[in-house]
Amino acid sequence: MQPDGILETAVYADDLEAASTFYGAILGMPEVLRVPGRHVFFSCGSGMLLVFNPAATQTAGGDLPVPTHGATGQGHICFRVEADVLDAWIEKLTSKRVEIEADFRWPNGARSIYVRDPAGNSVEFAEPKLWGLPA
């Protein structure tokens, strides 16, 4: 028995409004849930992206029995995109003044592009064959 996918992924950001603009307005991900000052959650394909304010999640509290969690420093997330839309993503991101930090092909031929979100997290867009997955 093993998990059949990743249900949610989390990154951490002190400025949830800036994160909301990046993931919602720029990347076009629908916002699902927001608790001001604590978190904002987005739908992403068949999963969820959770953006937490680490100052609010590293301490006990709240109504749910969820363990404390948080991270400091830059995290990483990689979005699955098809090879034929990577150039369109570059155009969209640069038109919104998001700098492309890297654009390259891996040894197996897969292509990735990298940008930074407002919190400094590394955000990658890569085709599925990066991990030998079907398109």
Side-chain angles (χ1 to χ4, degrees):
M1 182 169 59
Q2 69 182 42
D4 66 358
I6 296 175
L7 181 61
E8 59 188 41
T9 298
V11 293
Y12 294 86
D14 295 330
D15 186 343
L16 294 178
E17 287 306 315
S20 181
T21 298
F22 181 79
Y23 291 105
I26 294 175
L27 299 191
M29 297 169 61
E31 185 177 311
V32 174
L33 180 65
R34 176 188 295 252
V35 173
R38 186 178 191 283
H39 63 254
V40 59
F41 297 167
F42 300 92
S43 175
C44 182
S46 61
M48 297 290 296
L49 173 65
L50 314 179
V51 182
F52 289 106
N53 176 346
T57 58
Q58 290 176 334
T59 58
D63 298 333
L64 301 174
V66 177
T68 59
H69 55 85
T72 56
Q74 301 167 340
H76 173 74
I77 184 170
C78 179
F79 292 112
R80 175 188 182 125
V81 296
E82 298 306 321
D84 61 350
V85 297
L86 276 168
D87 287 329
W89 271 107
I90 291 172
E91 289 178 30
K92 178 178 182 168
L93 291 163
T94 57
S95 76
K96 301 290 187 181
R97 302 186 196 278
V98 176
E99 179 184 351
I100 305 301
E101 193 171 39
D103 177 356
F104 67 94
R105 292 204 177 268
W106 292 91
N108 71 354
R111 183 178 175 202
S112 287
I113 61 171
Y114 289 82
V115 301
R116 296 279 170 177
D117 76 5
N121 292 300
S122 174
V123 179
E124 179 182 6
F125 298 78
E127 55 186 297
K129 79 176 188 178
L130 173 62
W131 292 107
L133 301 172

